[in-house]
Amino acid sequence: MTAGELHFNAFVWPNGYHESAWRVVEDDVRGVLGLPYYADIARTAERGLMDTVFLADNIAIAEYRTTYLPQTQFDPISVLSALAGVTSYIGLIGTGSTTYNKPWELARRWATLDHLSGGRAGWNIVTTVTPLAAANYGEAAHPDHADRYARAHEFVDVVTRAWDSWEDDAVVGDRERGVWAERGKLHAPRFHGEFYDVEGILPFPRSPQGWPVLVQAGQSPAGIGLAARYAELVFSGPPSLEAAVAFRTDLHTQAAAAGRDPAHVLVLPALMITLGGTEAEAQAKAQRLEDLASPDFRWQNILYTAGLDPDGFDPDAPLPAELWTGRAAPSSRAEQLYAASRARPQATLRDITEGLKSGAGQYHFVGTPDQLADHILTWQDAGAVDGFTIMGSTLPYELTAFVDHVIPLLQRKGRFRTEYTGPTLRDHLGLPHPASGPRK
């Protein structure tokens, strides 16, 4: 196969993606609470001509996490809007839940970011399974897995209809006629579905990209189905080359079946990185992070990311059988936990979670810049990826090493851009501008 141009997201997390990052960096522990931290990362990624900075989000935080990790779950749109003012080209992706937002309101916020950034916004579409979120939003419980994804499909449909409520050329600014915008080029959604009712147009014209780029990360069958229908960039985390090839092939097959061009569905899986001048140096850095990791955090975080409240479990007892027998898992991460319990029903929770991953970065690359460049090209040439979401184990340090030492290697091989090709995120990713006009 002929490899296309690589693409890279820079994943932003306080001090780095590894849970021990804040314990090894020498920065002020409160520095991650200020704009300079985010601005430094965004400027570094832009200096490396990377496609985006990527902000995850948690709309509820369990108290146990405050012991082990810096907590900086600011509103992504607020942070990205600030970054739009200190950068010029880098894409700005933020996470927004379809479970605990309203579609018209979310459409307005992301389209605002797209205008203020000159066309650099992206929306990471997620459903929410975090236990505390329902209570924070006045709900007794989450919708179940199938219901969450049914709502998500309708939610995204409504959002894109709101983004299409103005045609691209609706604004004419005709002073002679006294017409600022042609009303005939407005198309109110007037949507009445199973879950949502939305009537009116957005209170400003269509944004520079038409739609912010649609991003999705689910790995369950329902998540892959949502991605195949809507996503233009997929942030996935298959644990092996073979699994990544199968994931991308399945995703592209489903996208084609939905009438979409698979070339417009880019796969950039999570890749945590730790780099060194030698392999031994990189291994020593990674080992220091692991040596500082808390086993108590690990089992609690597995439960939390699976949609369970860790305060209700004994780590030195098996996971209660009623959770994993005769019932569907609420998420793909919960299914991993349940499968481990089914395989070892007498094992303690602490034991069965020891080999599981609790975050999106299921693959931790440790090595030299040359080795990482080879790894990236091997995966791309195998048809597994279109690039990677780079998750520095420490930030901004590993991202800086990636920009200064890995990207030049890829550029010399003709596999990565040497300048931005246009001002918008769609330009960076080679994605089309969605057509405007009335929706059926």
Side-chain angles (χ1 to χ4, degrees), residues 12-318:
V12 184
W13 203 249
N15 297 126
Y17 194 70
H18 196 282
E19 68 206 63
S20 304
W22 72 277
R23 299 182 65 186
V24 304
V25 300
E26 296 181 355
D27 310 41
D28 182 342
V29 294
R30 293 175 177 81
V32 294
L33 298 172
L35 178 58
Y37 173 77
Y38 298 91
D40 182 30
I41 290 172
R43 289 182 182 127
T44 298
E46 186 168 82
R47 178 168 60 81
L49 306 176
M50 296 177 72
D51 294 81
T52 80
V53 289
F54 190 127
L55 282 181
D57 192 25
N58 282 316
I59 54 177
I61 288 296
E63 292 183 13
Y64 82 91
R65 290 173 69 89
T66 67
T67 299
Y68 303 105
L69 294 174
Q71 296 305 310
T72 63
Q73 295 300 289
F74 300 129
D75 172 43
I77 289 293
S78 298
V79 177
L80 294 172
S81 295
L83 295 182
V86 298
T87 58
S88 300
Y89 291 98
I90 193 81
L92 306 165
I93 295 176
T95 298
S97 172
T98 61
T99 311
Y100 294 105
N101 280 293
K102 296 294 187 181
W104 191 93
E105 183 268 345
L106 185 143
R108 182 186 186 217
R109 293 170 65 214
W110 259 260
T112 298
L113 175 62
D114 205 45
H115 272 289
L116 297 183
S117 65
R120 296 188 278 141
W123 170 32
N124 179 35
I125 305 160
V126 300
T127 68
T128 298
V129 71
T130 306
L132 298 175
N136 284 353
Y137 282 80
E139 303 291 339
H142 285 300
D144 64 27
H145 186 267
D147 191 24
R148 285 202 318 274
Y149 276 94
R151 289 173 180 268
H153 276 268
E154 188 170 296
F155 190 108
V156 180
D157 185 23
V158 177
V159 167
T160 57
R161 286 172 185 268
W163 287 337
D164 283 346
S165 60
W166 294 63
E167 292 189 29
D168 285 325
D169 59 352
V171 178
V172 293
D174 190 333
R175 290 187 169 96
E176 292 295 321
R177 290 191 297 140
V179 175
W180 192 79
E182 296 283 4
R183 185 173 179 180
K185 293 182 180 291
L186 306 181
H187 308 285
R190 308 210 189 287
F191 180 91
H192 304 286
E194 183 180 356
F195 305 106
Y196 302 106
D197 294 279
V198 173
E199 280 290 321
I201 63 172
L202 288 182
F204 48 78
R206 203 168 192 235
S207 70
Q209 296 187 105
W211 302 355
V213 171
L214 299 179
V215 184
Q216 212 274 333
Q219 295 184 73
S220 68
I224 295 171
L226 183 66
R229 177 66 182 86
Y230 295 107
E232 299 167 295
L233 190 158
V234 176
F235 162 63
S236 61
S240 69
L241 176 59
E242 295 74 19
V245 171
F247 175 88
R248 184 169 178 265
T249 300
D250 180 30
L251 175 64
H252 281 182
T253 299
Q254 292 192 42
R260 301 183 60 207
D261 183 349
H264 298 154
V265 184
L266 303 176
V267 178
L268 277 69
L271 181 64
M272 181 160 64
I273 64 169
T274 300
L275 297 174
T278 64
E279 188 172 352
E281 179 186 336
Q283 292 287 353
K285 290 168 65 177
Q287 189 59 52
R288 185 182 180 209
L289 290 167
E290 285 299 303
D291 289 344
L292 292 171
S294 167
D296 286 322
F297 170 77
R298 291 270 170 102
W299 72 260
Q300 291 179 78
N301 212 46
I302 291 287
L303 292 177
Y304 180 70
T305 57
L308 301 171
D309 181 357
D311 287 345
F313 294 84
D314 178 358
D316 297 311

